[in-house]
């Protein structure tokens, strides 16, 4: 069974940083692109960043230069380092295999507020 467990969220002031982690299970992690998504209240879930098995990365324009996605294939874990956080980054963050019909995990809440 494919599963994703996200962690690392919290409350942070504008300009602060957080590092999210997502542990995946139920498939051969190193064979797949992995992505982070986020959903703010009242909005659709959007793609934030993706990484290939070999470390190729892409980012949404809104987070370029502030967020960094990385992965540890040995630990089946994908990370999202978020710096210079802004109130508009407030959302529940999820990870999943890119373009696969996986079920969503519970996500991790990120709140950016002073």
């Amino acid at each position: 069974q494919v599963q994703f467990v996200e962690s690392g969220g919290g409350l942070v002031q504008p300009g602060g940083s957080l590092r999210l982690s997502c542990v995946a299970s139920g498939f051969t992690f190193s064979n797949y692109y992995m992505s982070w998504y986020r959903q703010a209240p009242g909005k659709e879930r959007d793609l934030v960043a993706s990484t290939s098995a070999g470390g190729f990365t892409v980012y949404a324009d809104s987070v370029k230069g502030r967020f960094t996605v990385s992965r540890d294939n040995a630990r089946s874990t994908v990370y999202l380092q978020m710096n210079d956080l802004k109130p508009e980054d407030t959302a529940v963050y999820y990870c999943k295999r890119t373009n696969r019909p996986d079920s969503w995990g519970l996500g991790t809440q990120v709140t950016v507020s002073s």
Side-chain angles (χ1 to χ4, degrees):
Q1 182 180 0
V2 174
Q3 289 186 319
F4 307 97
V5 179
E6 302 92 348
S7 63
L11 173 63
V12 63
Q13 293 186 343
S17 298
L18 284 173
R19 188 193 194 208
L20 307 185
S21 300
C22 169
V23 179
S25 60
F27 62 97
T28 303
F29 183 82
S30 59
N31 287 352
Y32 292 91
Y33 271 76
M34 292 294 299
S35 290
W36 283 96
Y37 303 81
R38 67 185 181 186
Q39 187 168 23
K43 296 188 176 181
E44 294 186 352
R45 191 151 22 202
D46 293 326
L47 179 66
V48 175
S50 300
T51 176
S52 72
F56 176 76
T57 57
V58 292
Y59 297 93
D61 287 343
S62 59
V63 306
K64 279 181 183 176
R66 301 187 298 121
F67 289 12
T68 302
V69 60
S70 61
R71 63 192 291 160
D72 183 339
N73 289 333
R75 291 181 167 82
S76 298
T77 301
V78 60
Y79 304 97
L80 187 67
Q81 176 67 44
M82 307 186 296
N83 298 328
D84 189 23
L85 282 160
K86 306 176 185 299
E88 52 263 41
D89 295 319
T90 295
V92 179
Y93 285 71
Y94 304 86
C95 75
K96 197 170 71 67
R97 290 185 295 181
T98 309
N99 296 327
R100 300 291 293 187
D102 298 322
S103 296
W104 296 98
L106 296 178
T108 185
Q109 174 71 49
V110 172
T111 303
V112 185
S113 175
S114 55

